[in-house]
Amino acid sequence: GDPVAGRDVARSLCSSCHSIEAIGASPNPGATPLRYVLASYNPERLVEDLDNAVSISHLRMPTFYFGERHPADLVAYLKTIQRPSSPAEEAAEPNW
């Protein structure tokens, strides 16, 4: 996937609820920042689930129908922003 195109997908489909950056809070406090997604979701499985419009995460999350390359693009972008699996673990990281 193309991480640049994936950032565009995240911006257009995800950013109204989720933080799509490596830092910052989500606009919806109940929505996990996307930088934590791959800590608990296998990247290849996520591409497959997005491609097949499988319901992901919770009941309030809408189902999106992605274009042909968009699931792989989105996951490629997510790989560039991933952080530890929780905000608490992120806070525990040293600031070099």
Side-chain angles (χ1 to χ4, degrees):
D2 176 1
V4 174
R7 187 170 193 279
D8 291 340
V9 171
R11 185 181 302 121
S12 67
L13 297 179
C14 310
S15 65
S16 63
C17 293
H18 298 273
S19 169
I20 65 164
E21 304 296 341
I23 60 171
S26 293
N28 175 344
T32 301
L34 293 185
R35 64 184 167 271
Y36 302 124
V37 169
L38 298 182
S40 61
Y41 214 123
N42 176 284
E44 290 76 27
R45 179 61 188 238
L46 180 57
V47 170
E48 183 178 308
D49 287 352
L50 292 172
D51 196 39
N52 293 316
V54 171
S55 180
I56 295 173
S57 184
H58 53 80
L59 296 176
R60 292 185 186 163
M61 188 165 140
T63 299
F64 294 104
Y65 297 96
F66 292 88
E68 186 175 317
R69 297 273 321 144
H70 291 257
D73 294 341
L74 178 60
V75 171
Y77 173 66
L78 294 181
K79 288 179 179 180
T80 71
I81 63 166
Q82 286 308 284
R83 304 291 295 159
S85 62
S86 73
E89 289 178 33
E90 185 173 298
E93 282 189 334
N95 287 331
W96 304 108

